[in-house]
Amino acid sequence: MDNFTFANPTKIIFGKETENQVGKEIEGYSKKVLLHYGGGSIKTTGLYDRVISSLKKSGIEYVELSGVKPNPRLSLVKEGIKICRENNIGFILAVGGGSVIDSAKAIACGVPYEGDVWDFYLGKNIIKKALPIGVILTIPAAGSESSKNSVITNEDGWYKRGVGAPALYPKFSILNPELAFTLPKYQVACGAADIMAHLMERYFTNTRNVELTDRLIESTMKTIINNVPTVLNQHDNYDAWAEVMWAGTVAHNGLLNTGRVGDWGSHGIEHELSGIYDVAHGAGLAVVFPAWMKYVYKNDVNRFAQFAVRVWNIDNSFWDVERTALEGISKLENFFRRIGLPTTLSELGIEDDRLEEMAYKGTNGETSTLGNFVKLGKEDIFNILTLAK
Ligand code: NZQ
Ligand code: ZN
């Protein structure tokens, strides 16, 4: 196990009707907030009215900025920065999923920064300050509700890039599993794939002697595998949603990568896909991850066999461990298909041939590599995307 420091400062408020506490939670930070949300699901579900009523009860003024798209855009972020400066906003409340939260984080670090907020996403500058943000989560998926990351798409060139900094941790996140009852099935499945991917990115490591985190990751994966089919069939099953929602947060709050180095190559490749084609992040991962696995499993067949045995309950073929490893990968693919996700680029609607371009962008013009379990150059990324066709 490697040395590590673990500190996740996000306060989690979990359970039924907890969104009604939001005004109280903000009181200590500011009397003026930016209320940030997406395309309108929060209005049709009635959540918007409950949030406004809670803010009013606490005497908190608000300015609204809606319209965050999945794969959130830089242009809206810049609009948000301007609104916050003009209105002297002291707190940002994100009500939605990963896209809204990431957009809120980008606005939060852009407000006190004199340069172009995109600098942070290009690694040209480091985030030192940000406005405080709070979250009401409506979809278990990205884990942004307790991560220090933000992923934004720049429409100029369709670059999707991420940044991480301690200042971006939300001050609090409200997780009410009831808010997920209204999710369309496809979004549920995309969320599940993203959560699985966050776990697998951490699981496939070259760090030795990490039994505790291995087992925590395995049980979190099993929780997703067991409960996602239930919520797909029973959209208002609170108990199953509670498991999925908490698993989504635990998968990405930093605990499960303590003392180990994760991979993150599949995420890097997927960001090129959703950057160019605007597909849902989880759907892109359901396509990329199995292809990545088939490309790299020989790097550590035993680890893939462990994944097959412990997560998918496959009997180990002691005389042919490679067979066990491959069965695990095919179980994962079947799971993605069973919950309604594409597992090939063509099923994702991508028929044209921009694989070379994605491989080029993914390595920043062949100046860097993706991933740690196996370091991927341009040709590797191209080969993985070809396997995913
Ligand atoms: O916009 P509205 O109308 O709200 O509809 C949303 C959106 O269309 C809908 N939705 C959300 N909650 C709903 C609902 N519809 C009905 N009922 C509800 N309760 O779902 C759609 C997808 O929302 P989005 O926020 O895009 O989903 P997700 O949480 O999967 O976020 C994806 C984004 O997060 C980034 C991804 O790259 C992608 O841009 N990620 C962020 C990470 C982070 N910050 O740590 C890590 C992840 O790996 C990921 O990269
Ligand atoms: Zn992800």
Side-chain angles (χ1 to χ4, degrees), residues 147-225:
S147 83
K148 60 178 177 184
N149 306 103
S150 160
V151 187
I152 296 292
T153 298
N154 186 343
E155 300 97 317
D156 183 8
W158 297 102
Y159 285 94
K160 186 172 181 182
R161 293 288 178 263
V163 69
L168 297 184
Y169 278 114
K171 297 296 174 198
F172 64 82
S173 282
I174 292 179
L175 275 59
N176 175 359
E178 292 170 313
L179 301 181
F181 290 178
T182 52
L183 278 167
K185 286 188 179 195
Y186 187 65
Q187 291 300 339
V188 176
C190 288
D194 196 15
I195 297 169
M196 284 297 284
H198 294 160
L199 295 162
M200 295 187 296
E201 296 282 21
R202 290 170 165 90
Y203 194 72
F204 293 101
T205 179
N206 296 319
T207 316
R208 299 288 151 194
N209 304 310
V210 283
E211 180 175 352
L212 174 67
T213 41
D214 267 3
R215 291 195 185 271
L216 290 172
I217 296 170
E218 287 155 4
S219 50
T220 314
M221 288 197 256
K222 288 184 114 160
T223 303
I224 292 299
I225 295 161

Side-chain angles (χ1 to χ4, degrees), residues 157-158 271-279 354 357-358 361:
W158 297 102
H271 285 167
E272 298 311 322
L273 270 186
S274 47
I276 292 182
Y277 296 99
D278 202 18
V279 295
R354 295 173 73 179
E357 180 189 342
M358 286 189 271
K361 279 171 108 178

Side-chain angles (χ1 to χ4, degrees), residues 37-42 45 68-72 95-100 102 105 137-144 147-151 160 179-184 187 190-191 194 198 252 264 267 270-271 274 281-282 285:
Y37 57 96
S41 74
I42 71 160
T45 60
V68 179
K69 293 190 175 131
N71 300 317
V95 185
S99 298
V100 174
D102 286 4
K105 287 173 175 175
L137 185 68
T138 62
I139 170 173
S144 185
S147 83
K148 60 178 177 184
N149 306 103
S150 160
V151 187
K160 186 172 181 182
L179 301 181
F181 290 178
T182 52
L183 278 167
Q187 291 300 339
C190 288
D194 196 15
H198 294 160
H252 202 48
W264 300 100
H267 263 73
E270 196 294 317
H271 285 167
S274 47
H281 172 61
L285 287 166

Side-chain angles (χ1 to χ4, degrees), residues 19-28 30-33 50-61:
E19 65 274 17
N20 299 323
Q21 301 172 28
V22 70
K24 274 248 155 304
E25 286 301 322
I26 297 174
E27 275 175 26
S30 176
K31 283 285 173 200
K32 201 159 186 194
V33 310
R50 298 200 293 282
V51 172
I52 298 297
S53 137
S54 176
L55 293 178
K56 284 189 175 156
K57 258 192 216 148
S58 292
I60 289 166
E61 273 182 68

